[in-house]
Amino acid sequence: MKKILILVAAVLMGVASCADSKQAMTVTVTNPLALERTGEMVEVPMSDVVAKLKLADTAQIVVLDADGQQVPYQVTYDEKVIFPATVKANGTATYTIQPGAPEAFNVVACGKYYPERLDDLAWENDLVGFRAYGPALQARNERGFGYDLFTKYNTTEPILEALYAEELNPEKRAKIAELKKTDPKAATELQRAISYHVDHGYGMDCYAVGPTLGCGTSALMEGDTIVYPYCYRTQEILDNGPLRFTVKLEFNPLVVRGDSGVVETRVISLDAGSYLNKAVISYTNLKETMPVATGLVLREPDGVTMADAANGYITYVDPTTDRSGGNGKIFVGATFPAQVKDAKVVLFQEKEKKERGGADGHVLAVSEYEPGSEYTYYWGSAWDKAAIKTAEAWNEYMSQYAQKVRTPLTVAY
């Protein structure tokens, strides 16, 4: 009798296992390149997951690797399940999505709107940080057109909120104002102690933007003239981690070829593990095809640059705001999934150099924008005090990134 009970239990366990397997979705990720892809984000529509697994609205899911270990994931604002996949060169990897209780995942990619700092919009992941300037800065007539960046090292955790909290600490700022009257040296020391322009062991803001395209901003062009965008008008954070940060920025109308009603919209996203943001740009009310340029500001006329239209990327080694070398070097770059029409270094004439806050020019990648379309590219930075140490290593990263965005991972299920 005992043997019969054991047999019945085994049969019931087999039936349950079979039932469970019907509620599992195998995702096969294929890498067509001869490059290993490590921690690259893949996307599966949530609607397909719900349909395949026949999920109720309240059901939770887990993502498992080939060893059955949970993989962090996120459901994005546009209803996609994203998770990092690692696939060998010319190889495949399988992941499983099934009902279950997910573990708590560390927030890696995140950002925040800072009205208390002139409407800054700042975001980061485990490797880098960035910011876009807002309407309060423009209202003060400060000319900050392009993207700014924060260097980061010695940690993979978010740091920007803490940096902003110190930089803007009202009690310490009041103390600095008081000390300036009685003890200027102490005031300077306290200012340095709270400033995010000083490296306190995790990174800093040592990049100069000014009235330029900064770290990879895009802009329409009228002939050889850049139609510079100003600060964003509205911002909406769409995703805020744990693996992806996404923000939608809308800008004030531009005057383009005499038409003052052209409005630019940007959707920017930063994934965990990447030095580069994805930017999707569109212009409403634009009546004709125009050149669109992505630029990296040059802070020296003979700087180390790469402008490779054929392979779809541009780079520059920035000397940082401390030209003595104490802040190291910042590597900036942009890469493009579509064919680039031209990539080149453009130096300013003396008059324009003064208008651009002393900048020497841009590295530009020029494409064509057709009305009603979207212009997609990737932009970002690294720091030689962190993992990428040389211009050669940065150029290799950018070259491989260009290959990856032009030959994405394929996902089947």
Side-chain angles (χ1 to χ4, degrees):
M1 185 64 179
K2 190 173 182 180
K3 290 183 179 180
I4 294 174
L5 288 175
I6 292 172
L7 180 61
V8 170
V11 171
L12 289 174
M13 287 176 64
V15 171
S17 175
C18 184
D20 287 343
S21 68
K22 290 179 181 178
Q23 269 201 296
M25 177 179 178
T26 300
V27 179
T28 302
V29 183
T30 302
N31 176 14
L33 288 177
L35 299 169
E36 183 173 358
R37 318 281 277 264
T38 303
E40 191 168 328
M41 220 63 68
V42 298
E43 301 177 345
V44 179
M46 187 63 183
S47 58
D48 290 353
V49 175
V50 170
K52 285 270 188 181
L53 301 183
K54 297 180 173 57
L55 293 177
D57 291 341
T58 57
Q60 292 182 303
I61 61 169
V62 294
V63 178
L64 308 176
D65 63 17
D67 296 324
Q69 300 300 307
Q70 283 201 30
V71 176
Y73 74 89
Q74 177 180 334
V75 180
T76 61
Y77 81 98
D78 51 354
E79 293 297 311
K80 293 174 182 174
V81 178
I82 64 168
F83 60 90
T86 295
V87 193
K88 292 181 179 178
N90 298 124
T92 62
T94 58
Y95 295 84
T96 301
I97 303 176
Q98 65 186 40
E103 298 171 354
F105 307 130
N106 292 331
V107 174
V108 179
C110 57
K112 189 177 176 182
Y113 165 57
Y114 293 92
E116 66 272 30
R117 217 312 295 191
L118 300 172
D119 293 332
D120 276 4
L121 193 289
W123 65 99
E124 66 186 305
N125 65 7
D126 47 322
L127 302 173
V128 283
F130 303 96
R131 71 170 155 184
Y133 297 121
L137 186 104
Q138 183 170 341
R140 287 175 29 149
N141 293 318
E142 290 191 35
R143 286 153 47 84
F145 295 167
Y147 299 123
D148 194 11
L149 65 90
F150 291 87
T151 61
K152 189 170 178 177
Y153 72 150
N154 288 343
T155 183
T156 58
E157 296 182 0
I159 63 170
L160 292 188
E161 195 164 353
L163 291 183
Y164 268 90
E166 273 293 277
E167 175 78 17
L168 303 174
N169 185 296
E171 291 81 12
K172 291 181 181 179
R173 284 194 162 273
K175 183 65 175 176
I176 290 167
E178 181 184 326
L179 285 171
K180 282 181 178 179
K181 301 172 186 176
T182 59
D183 191 343
K185 183 179 178 181
T188 299
E189 290 175 354
L190 182 54
Q191 178 64 57
R192 285 184 57 82
I194 69 171
S195 175
Y196 54 43
H197 296 286
V198 176
D199 177 20
H200 301 295
Y202 298 103
M204 64 192 299
D205 172 13
C206 55
Y207 183 74
V209 180
T212 74
L213 295 177
C215 177
T217 306
S218 63
L220 294 172
M221 296 187 72
E222 294 182 349
D224 293 329
T225 302
I226 295 172
V227 183
Y228 286 93
Y230 215 150
C231 302
Y232 70 80
R233 177 173 63 182
T234 63
Q235 57 80 27
E236 180 184 4
I237 293 176
L238 304 176
D239 291 316
N240 211 355
L243 299 177
R244 175 175 291 174
F245 171 85
T246 306
V247 65
K248 179 180 179 181
L249 304 177
E250 188 175 286
F251 290 76
N252 289 303
L254 295 165
V255 178
V256 180
R257 292 181 177 170
D259 188 341
S260 60
V262 177
V263 175
E264 178 184 0
T265 301
R266 304 178 196 170
V267 178
I268 303 166
S269 57
L270 178 65
D271 287 348
S274 176
Y275 289 100
L276 304 187
N277 299 270
K278 179 181 180 180
V280 181
I281 314 298
S282 60
Y283 297 92
T284 56
N285 303 322
L286 189 67
K287 296 181 173 60
E288 56 186 305
T289 298
M290 290 186 66
V292 61
T294 296
L296 309 170
V297 62
L298 298 179
R299 292 293 171 185
E300 48 195 354
D302 56 350
V304 179
T305 64
M306 176 67 72
D308 191 335
N311 291 309
Y313 70 99
I314 57 175
T315 65
Y316 171 55
V317 182
D318 190 276
T320 78
T321 53
D322 177 6
R323 302 305 175 88
S324 70
N327 290 337
K329 301 285 187 181
I330 295 174
F331 308 115
V332 291
T335 188
F336 307 87
Q339 186 65 43
V340 175
K341 182 179 177 181
D342 192 15
K344 56 190 176 182
V345 172
V346 177
L347 296 178
F348 297 144
Q349 298 297 319
E350 198 60 36
K351 179 176 180 293
E352 187 173 10
K353 183 173 178 177
K354 291 178 181 177
E355 293 172 350
R356 300 293 150 213
D360 288 290
H362 287 112
V363 188
L364 293 179
V366 184
S367 302
E368 291 290 318
Y369 179 84
E370 296 183 5
S373 67
E374 291 181 336
Y375 170 57
T376 300
Y377 69 101
Y378 299 77
W379 61 275
S381 66
W383 195 27
D384 70 355
K385 290 191 176 184
I388 294 180
K389 301 293 186 183
T390 65
E392 292 75 18
W394 178 240
N395 286 337
E396 182 180 13
Y397 179 86
M398 295 298 295
S399 173
Q400 291 185 359
Y401 208 104
Q403 293 179 60
K404 292 172 184 177
V405 298
R406 292 184 172 193
T407 311
L409 296 169
T410 61
V411 180
Y413 41 86

mmCIF file of all heavy atoms in Angstrom, residues 165-199:
data_model
loop_
_atom_site.group_PDB
_atom_site.id
_atom_site.type_symbol
_atom_site.label_atom_id
_atom_site.label_comp_id
_atom_site.label_asym_id
_atom_site.label_seq_id
_atom_site.Cartn_x
_atom_site.Cartn_y
_atom_site.Cartn_z
ATOM 1 N N ALA A 165 22.284 66.743 -2.913
ATOM 2 C CA ALA A 165 21.886 67.111 -1.543
ATOM 3 C C ALA A 165 22.988 67.906 -0.859
ATOM 4 O O ALA A 165 22.723 68.888 -0.159
ATOM 5 C CB ALA A 165 21.546 65.856 -0.746
ATOM 6 N N GLU A 166 24.232 67.492 -1.051
ATOM 7 C CA GLU A 166 25.349 68.232 -0.455
ATOM 8 C C GLU A 166 25.542 69.578 -1.139
ATOM 9 O O GLU A 166 25.702 70.607 -0.485
ATOM 10 C CB GLU A 166 26.636 67.410 -0.556
ATOM 11 C CG GLU A 166 26.849 66.452 0.581
ATOM 12 C CD GLU A 166 27.099 67.166 1.903
ATOM 13 O OE1 GLU A 166 28.248 67.565 2.176
ATOM 14 O OE2 GLU A 166 26.132 67.344 2.675
ATOM 15 N N GLU A 167 25.537 69.569 -2.474
ATOM 16 C CA GLU A 167 25.745 70.804 -3.236
ATOM 17 C C GLU A 167 24.718 71.870 -2.884
ATOM 18 O O GLU A 167 25.028 73.064 -2.835
ATOM 19 C CB GLU A 167 25.666 70.491 -4.742
ATOM 20 C CG GLU A 167 25.733 71.693 -5.668
ATOM 21 C CD GLU A 167 27.128 72.254 -5.857
ATOM 22 O OE1 GLU A 167 28.110 71.536 -5.531
ATOM 23 O OE2 GLU A 167 27.247 73.399 -6.328
ATOM 24 N N LEU A 168 23.486 71.447 -2.592
ATOM 25 C CA LEU A 168 22.390 72.392 -2.363
ATOM 26 C C LEU A 168 22.016 72.538 -0.893
ATOM 27 O O LEU A 168 21.021 73.206 -0.593
ATOM 28 C CB LEU A 168 21.163 71.938 -3.165
ATOM 29 C CG LEU A 168 21.375 71.784 -4.681
ATOM 30 C CD1 LEU A 168 20.137 71.200 -5.333
ATOM 31 C CD2 LEU A 168 21.761 73.105 -5.319
ATOM 32 N N ASN A 169 22.771 71.926 -0.006
ATOM 33 C CA ASN A 169 22.436 71.947 1.428
ATOM 34 C C ASN A 169 22.248 73.383 1.922
ATOM 35 O O ASN A 169 23.206 74.173 1.946
ATOM 36 C CB ASN A 169 23.557 71.263 2.218
ATOM 37 C CG ASN A 169 23.229 71.124 3.689
ATOM 38 O OD1 ASN A 169 23.078 72.116 4.390
ATOM 39 N ND2 ASN A 169 23.120 69.886 4.149
ATOM 40 N N PRO A 170 21.022 73.753 2.320
ATOM 41 C CA PRO A 170 20.766 75.159 2.667
ATOM 42 C C PRO A 170 21.525 75.640 3.896
ATOM 43 O O PRO A 170 21.992 76.787 3.942
ATOM 44 C CB PRO A 170 19.250 75.194 2.896
ATOM 45 C CG PRO A 170 18.846 73.787 3.172
ATOM 46 C CD PRO A 170 19.802 72.933 2.404
ATOM 47 N N GLU A 171 21.672 74.779 4.912
ATOM 48 C CA GLU A 171 22.402 75.186 6.109
ATOM 49 C C GLU A 171 23.877 75.435 5.802
ATOM 50 O O GLU A 171 24.455 76.441 6.243
ATOM 51 C CB GLU A 171 22.279 74.112 7.201
ATOM 52 C CG GLU A 171 20.892 73.968 7.811
ATOM 53 C CD GLU A 171 19.958 73.131 6.940
ATOM 54 O OE1 GLU A 171 20.462 72.473 5.989
ATOM 55 O OE2 GLU A 171 18.746 73.136 7.201
ATOM 56 N N LYS A 172 24.467 74.551 5.019
ATOM 57 C CA LYS A 172 25.888 74.721 4.700
ATOM 58 C C LYS A 172 26.106 75.904 3.764
ATOM 59 O O LYS A 172 27.115 76.614 3.865
ATOM 60 C CB LYS A 172 26.441 73.430 4.103
ATOM 61 C CG LYS A 172 26.514 72.300 5.125
ATOM 62 C CD LYS A 172 27.081 71.021 4.542
ATOM 63 C CE LYS A 172 27.122 69.915 5.601
ATOM 64 N NZ LYS A 172 27.648 68.634 5.068
ATOM 65 N N ARG A 173 25.158 76.145 2.867
ATOM 66 C CA ARG A 173 25.283 77.302 1.987
ATOM 67 C C ARG A 173 25.170 78.610 2.781
ATOM 68 O O ARG A 173 25.872 79.588 2.507
ATOM 69 C CB ARG A 173 24.240 77.249 0.879
ATOM 70 C CG ARG A 173 24.591 76.240 -0.214
ATOM 71 C CD ARG A 173 23.754 76.424 -1.464
ATOM 72 N NE ARG A 173 24.383 75.764 -2.592
ATOM 73 C CZ ARG A 173 25.298 76.303 -3.372
ATOM 74 N NH1 ARG A 173 25.726 77.523 -3.127
ATOM 75 N NH2 ARG A 173 25.821 75.646 -4.383
ATOM 76 N N ALA A 174 24.281 78.613 3.773
ATOM 77 C CA ALA A 174 24.157 79.796 4.634
ATOM 78 C C ALA A 174 25.442 80.011 5.440
ATOM 79 O O ALA A 174 25.897 81.155 5.621
ATOM 80 C CB ALA A 174 22.968 79.632 5.573
ATOM 81 N N LYS A 175 26.042 78.899 5.880
ATOM 82 C CA LYS A 175 27.292 78.985 6.629
ATOM 83 C C LYS A 175 28.418 79.536 5.751
ATOM 84 O O LYS A 175 29.238 80.357 6.198
ATOM 85 C CB LYS A 175 27.665 77.603 7.170
ATOM 86 C CG LYS A 175 28.918 77.584 8.043
ATOM 87 C CD LYS A 175 28.725 78.371 9.332
ATOM 88 C CE LYS A 175 29.919 78.238 10.242
ATOM 89 N NZ LYS A 175 29.795 79.064 11.468
ATOM 90 N N ILE A 176 28.448 79.101 4.501
ATOM 91 C CA ILE A 176 29.467 79.599 3.568
ATOM 92 C C ILE A 176 29.321 81.107 3.381
ATOM 93 O O ILE A 176 30.309 81.856 3.409
ATOM 94 C CB ILE A 176 29.357 78.868 2.210
ATOM 95 C CG1 ILE A 176 29.801 77.408 2.364
ATOM 96 C CG2 ILE A 176 30.185 79.568 1.139
ATOM 97 C CD1 ILE A 176 29.457 76.527 1.190
ATOM 98 N N ALA A 177 28.066 81.564 3.194
ATOM 99 C CA ALA A 177 27.818 83.001 3.024
ATOM 100 C C ALA A 177 28.279 83.788 4.255
ATOM 101 O O ALA A 177 28.846 84.881 4.139
ATOM 102 C CB ALA A 177 26.338 83.243 2.756
ATOM 103 N N GLU A 178 28.053 83.217 5.417
ATOM 104 C CA GLU A 178 28.462 83.873 6.666
ATOM 105 C C GLU A 178 29.977 83.911 6.788
ATOM 106 O O GLU A 178 30.576 84.939 7.158
ATOM 107 C CB GLU A 178 27.844 83.114 7.841
ATOM 108 C CG GLU A 178 28.164 83.691 9.205
ATOM 109 C CD GLU A 178 27.591 82.836 10.327
ATOM 110 O OE1 GLU A 178 26.505 82.253 10.135
ATOM 111 O OE2 GLU A 178 28.251 82.739 11.381
ATOM 112 N N LEU A 179 30.639 82.775 6.459
ATOM 113 C CA LEU A 179 32.092 82.694 6.577
ATOM 114 C C LEU A 179 32.811 83.608 5.586
ATOM 115 O O LEU A 179 33.926 84.075 5.864
ATOM 116 C CB LEU A 179 32.554 81.253 6.368
ATOM 117 C CG LEU A 179 32.298 80.288 7.528
ATOM 118 C CD1 LEU A 179 32.591 78.844 7.112
ATOM 119 C CD2 LEU A 179 33.152 80.671 8.740
ATOM 120 N N LYS A 180 32.209 83.854 4.451
ATOM 121 C CA LYS A 180 32.832 84.732 3.459
ATOM 122 C C LYS A 180 33.097 86.121 4.040
ATOM 123 O O LYS A 180 34.034 86.806 3.625
ATOM 124 C CB LYS A 180 31.958 84.835 2.219
ATOM 125 C CG LYS A 180 32.048 83.635 1.292
ATOM 126 C CD LYS A 180 31.181 83.809 0.063
ATOM 127 C CE LYS A 180 31.328 82.623 -0.875
ATOM 128 N NZ LYS A 180 30.467 82.755 -2.082
ATOM 129 N N LYS A 181 32.288 86.530 5.011
ATOM 130 C CA LYS A 181 32.449 87.859 5.634
ATOM 131 C C LYS A 181 33.554 87.875 6.683
ATOM 132 O O LYS A 181 34.169 88.922 6.919
ATOM 133 C CB LYS A 181 31.131 88.273 6.289
ATOM 134 C CG LYS A 181 29.948 88.339 5.335
ATOM 135 C CD LYS A 181 28.656 88.572 6.102
ATOM 136 C CE LYS A 181 27.441 88.491 5.199
ATOM 137 N NZ LYS A 181 26.173 88.635 5.955
ATOM 138 N N THR A 182 33.797 86.715 7.303
ATOM 139 C CA THR A 182 34.729 86.687 8.440
ATOM 140 C C THR A 182 35.970 85.823 8.209
ATOM 141 O O THR A 182 37.038 86.114 8.746
ATOM 142 C CB THR A 182 34.009 86.165 9.697
ATOM 143 O OG1 THR A 182 33.512 84.850 9.429
ATOM 144 C CG2 THR A 182 32.849 87.082 10.074
ATOM 145 N N ASP A 183 35.802 84.737 7.408
ATOM 146 C CA ASP A 183 36.908 83.800 7.220
ATOM 147 C C ASP A 183 36.822 83.204 5.809
ATOM 148 O O ASP A 183 36.345 82.080 5.618
ATOM 149 C CB ASP A 183 36.827 82.691 8.272
ATOM 150 C CG ASP A 183 38.087 81.823 8.311
ATOM 151 O OD1 ASP A 183 38.864 81.871 7.338
ATOM 152 O OD2 ASP A 183 38.279 81.107 9.314
ATOM 153 N N PRO A 184 37.276 83.952 4.798
ATOM 154 C CA PRO A 184 37.158 83.488 3.402
ATOM 155 C C PRO A 184 37.799 82.127 3.149
ATOM 156 O O PRO A 184 37.277 81.340 2.355
ATOM 157 C CB PRO A 184 37.868 84.593 2.618
ATOM 158 C CG PRO A 184 37.772 85.798 3.495
ATOM 159 C CD PRO A 184 37.852 85.290 4.894
ATOM 160 N N LYS A 185 38.915 81.861 3.835
ATOM 161 C CA LYS A 185 39.578 80.566 3.647
ATOM 162 C C LYS A 185 38.678 79.420 4.112
ATOM 163 O O LYS A 185 38.537 78.401 3.428
ATOM 164 C CB LYS A 185 40.892 80.539 4.404
ATOM 165 C CG LYS A 185 41.679 79.251 4.189
ATOM 166 C CD LYS A 185 42.993 79.272 4.942
ATOM 167 C CE LYS A 185 43.742 77.956 4.742
ATOM 168 N NZ LYS A 185 45.038 77.940 5.500
ATOM 169 N N ALA A 186 38.065 79.563 5.272
ATOM 170 C CA ALA A 186 37.153 78.535 5.785
ATOM 171 C C ALA A 186 35.935 78.399 4.873
ATOM 172 O O ALA A 186 35.420 77.286 4.670
ATOM 173 C CB ALA A 186 36.718 78.881 7.207
ATOM 174 N N ALA A 187 35.489 79.533 4.327
ATOM 175 C CA ALA A 187 34.353 79.494 3.401
ATOM 176 C C ALA A 187 34.697 78.676 2.158
ATOM 177 O O ALA A 187 33.895 77.851 1.691
ATOM 178 C CB ALA A 187 33.942 80.908 3.005
ATOM 179 N N THR A 188 35.901 78.888 1.645
ATOM 180 C CA THR A 188 36.356 78.138 0.462
ATOM 181 C C THR A 188 36.473 76.650 0.766
ATOM 182 O O THR A 188 36.087 75.800 -0.043
ATOM 183 C CB THR A 188 37.702 78.684 -0.026
ATOM 184 O OG1 THR A 188 37.545 80.063 -0.385
ATOM 185 C CG2 THR A 188 38.204 77.908 -1.233
ATOM 186 N N GLU A 189 36.997 76.330 1.927
ATOM 187 C CA GLU A 189 37.151 74.921 2.308
ATOM 188 C C GLU A 189 35.796 74.228 2.440
ATOM 189 O O GLU A 189 35.621 73.082 1.999
ATOM 190 C CB GLU A 189 37.929 74.826 3.619
ATOM 191 C CG GLU A 189 39.399 75.194 3.485
ATOM 192 C CD GLU A 189 40.123 75.209 4.821
ATOM 193 O OE1 GLU A 189 39.435 75.039 5.863
ATOM 194 O OE2 GLU A 189 41.360 75.380 4.835
ATOM 195 N N LEU A 190 34.813 74.920 3.053
ATOM 196 C CA LEU A 190 33.484 74.329 3.182
ATOM 197 C C LEU A 190 32.812 74.207 1.824
ATOM 198 O O LEU A 190 32.125 73.211 1.551
ATOM 199 C CB LEU A 190 32.625 75.163 4.135
ATOM 200 C CG LEU A 190 31.210 74.640 4.405
ATOM 201 C CD1 LEU A 190 31.231 73.185 4.891
ATOM 202 C CD2 LEU A 190 30.484 75.535 5.406
ATOM 203 N N GLN A 191 33.027 75.207 0.955
ATOM 204 C CA GLN A 191 32.469 75.139 -0.389
ATOM 205 C C GLN A 191 33.004 73.926 -1.141
ATOM 206 O O GLN A 191 32.254 73.196 -1.802
ATOM 207 C CB GLN A 191 32.806 76.423 -1.164
ATOM 208 C CG GLN A 191 32.306 76.438 -2.611
ATOM 209 C CD GLN A 191 30.795 76.401 -2.701
ATOM 210 O OE1 GLN A 191 30.105 77.250 -2.154
ATOM 211 N NE2 GLN A 191 30.268 75.381 -3.372
ATOM 212 N N ARG A 192 34.291 73.680 -1.044
ATOM 213 C CA ARG A 192 34.889 72.509 -1.694
ATOM 214 C C ARG A 192 34.360 71.214 -1.088
ATOM 215 O O ARG A 192 34.175 70.218 -1.782
ATOM 216 C CB ARG A 192 36.417 72.543 -1.576
ATOM 217 C CG ARG A 192 37.083 73.554 -2.495
ATOM 218 C CD ARG A 192 38.605 73.452 -2.388
ATOM 219 N NE ARG A 192 39.096 72.102 -2.685
ATOM 220 C CZ ARG A 192 39.297 71.626 -3.905
ATOM 221 N NH1 ARG A 192 39.038 72.384 -4.977
ATOM 222 N NH2 ARG A 192 39.743 70.395 -4.085
ATOM 223 N N ALA A 193 34.099 71.227 0.206
ATOM 224 C CA ALA A 193 33.645 70.013 0.888
ATOM 225 C C ALA A 193 32.269 69.561 0.423
ATOM 226 O O ALA A 193 31.962 68.365 0.472
ATOM 227 C CB ALA A 193 33.645 70.234 2.400
ATOM 228 N N ILE A 194 31.435 70.506 -0.028
ATOM 229 C CA ILE A 194 30.081 70.129 -0.439
ATOM 230 C C ILE A 194 29.904 70.131 -1.956
ATOM 231 O O ILE A 194 28.877 69.664 -2.457
ATOM 232 C CB ILE A 194 29.016 71.057 0.184
ATOM 233 C CG1 ILE A 194 29.084 72.469 -0.411
ATOM 234 C CG2 ILE A 194 29.131 71.071 1.694
ATOM 235 C CD1 ILE A 194 27.925 73.364 -0.001
ATOM 236 N N SER A 195 30.901 70.606 -2.702
ATOM 237 C CA SER A 195 30.733 70.804 -4.139
ATOM 238 C C SER A 195 30.795 69.506 -4.923
ATOM 239 O O SER A 195 31.685 68.670 -4.690
ATOM 240 C CB SER A 195 31.811 71.754 -4.662
ATOM 241 O OG SER A 195 31.729 71.874 -6.064
ATOM 242 N N TYR A 196 29.893 69.326 -5.895
ATOM 243 C CA TYR A 196 30.010 68.179 -6.794
ATOM 244 C C TYR A 196 30.985 68.463 -7.938
ATOM 245 O O TYR A 196 31.178 67.635 -8.830
ATOM 246 C CB TYR A 196 28.662 67.685 -7.317
ATOM 247 C CG TYR A 196 27.740 68.679 -7.997
ATOM 248 C CD1 TYR A 196 28.187 69.616 -8.920
ATOM 249 C CD2 TYR A 196 26.367 68.628 -7.741
ATOM 250 C CE1 TYR A 196 27.323 70.486 -9.551
ATOM 251 C CE2 TYR A 196 25.490 69.501 -8.369
ATOM 252 C CZ TYR A 196 25.973 70.427 -9.271
ATOM 253 O OH TYR A 196 25.105 71.286 -9.907
ATOM 254 N N HIS A 197 31.616 69.614 -7.927
ATOM 255 C CA HIS A 197 32.707 69.906 -8.861
ATOM 256 C C HIS A 197 34.052 69.453 -8.301
ATOM 257 O O HIS A 197 35.088 69.681 -8.920
ATOM 258 C CB HIS A 197 32.753 71.404 -9.175
ATOM 259 C CG HIS A 197 31.535 71.892 -9.893
ATOM 260 N ND1 HIS A 197 31.294 71.624 -11.225
ATOM 261 C CD2 HIS A 197 30.473 72.612 -9.461
ATOM 262 C CE1 HIS A 197 30.149 72.174 -11.581
ATOM 263 N NE2 HIS A 197 29.625 72.766 -10.535
ATOM 264 N N VAL A 198 34.020 68.818 -7.137
ATOM 265 C CA VAL A 198 35.203 68.262 -6.491
ATOM 266 C C VAL A 198 34.973 66.766 -6.303
ATOM 267 O O VAL A 198 33.888 66.343 -5.897
ATOM 268 C CB VAL A 198 35.479 68.938 -5.129
ATOM 269 C CG1 VAL A 198 36.654 68.279 -4.418
ATOM 270 C CG2 VAL A 198 35.716 70.437 -5.309
ATOM 271 N N ASP A 199 35.982 65.962 -6.609
ATOM 272 C CA ASP A 199 35.868 64.508 -6.448
ATOM 273 C C ASP A 199 36.050 64.141 -4.980
ATOM 274 O O ASP A 199 37.118 64.338 -4.403
ATOM 275 C CB ASP A 199 36.930 63.815 -7.303
ATOM 276 C CG ASP A 199 36.930 62.306 -7.130
ATOM 277 O OD1 ASP A 199 35.903 61.763 -6.677
ATOM 278 O OD2 ASP A 199 37.950 61.675 -7.465
#
